Amino acid sequence: MPVFIARKIDMVGTIQIPRLEEEITLFEVGGFEDDFIVEAWLDLSELKEGDVLDLLEYVAMDGINYKLYMHRRYFGPLAEPIIRIHTKTYYKDMKMKISIIQTKGTPRKIDYVFIAEILATI
């Protein structure tokens, strides 16, 4: 059974973190007609000494109730500031979202790229 990409969703941009301790959803997708693949990149090069940023990835396996899948904390400045959220395949009814929270320092700008590919079978 061959699988191909039926359609693609790209999101590219920059977010200015408005204030500390506020969770900001960068990307949220799911509930498609077929299984889907997601990959993301973040540029944390704006983080300076004293800045702390949390990266959170949530999954709603039932398509409704989000649960924390992954939590990483980054302390600025980073020697390797490009962060990749590795490709994952999700069941069609699932949902996923990626959020950030800057907890310390001066609110910064974050550049991001998100790619979601909705699959289909022939």
Side-chain angles (χ1 to χ4, degrees):
M1 169 171 35
V3 176
F4 67 96
I5 298 169
R7 65 187 172 104
K8 190 170 108 171
I9 300 168
D10 295 335
M11 290 182 61
V12 178
T14 301
I15 184 151
Q16 172 65 54
I17 296 171
R19 66 192 64 79
L20 298 178
E21 300 293 341
E22 181 177 337
E23 185 167 346
I24 300 163
T25 298
L26 297 178
F27 188 65
E28 183 172 10
V29 295
F32 295 113
E33 60 277 4
D34 210 331
D35 302 343
F36 60 101
I37 299 170
V38 173
E39 181 172 352
W41 297 82
L42 302 174
D43 181 354
L44 303 183
S45 61
E46 290 278 322
L47 294 182
K48 307 296 184 215
E49 186 69 36
D51 292 341
V52 179
L53 183 119
D54 291 354
L55 174 63
L56 304 111
E57 189 172 340
Y58 297 93
V59 174
M61 290 182 61
D62 62 1
I64 300 167
N65 301 296
Y66 279 106
K67 295 180 183 170
L68 185 62
Y69 167 75
M70 183 273 309
H71 175 206
R72 291 191 193 126
R73 179 163 285 165
Y74 297 97
F75 299 87
L78 298 172
E80 298 173 346
I82 303 299
I83 305 301
R84 179 179 178 215
I85 298 169
H86 291 278
T87 305
K88 294 175 195 70
T89 303
Y90 297 89
Y91 180 66
K92 64 184 177 181
D93 293 335
M94 294 172 72
K95 291 185 178 178
M96 67 82 60
K97 70 177 176 178
I98 296 169
S99 299
I100 56 171
I101 305 171
Q102 187 172 347
T103 59
K104 294 187 180 175
T106 302
R108 304 292 180 185
K109 289 189 303 185
I110 307 294
D111 294 327
Y112 59 86
V113 174
F114 295 103
I115 304 163
E117 299 171 329
I118 296 88
L119 304 177
T121 55
I122 295 175

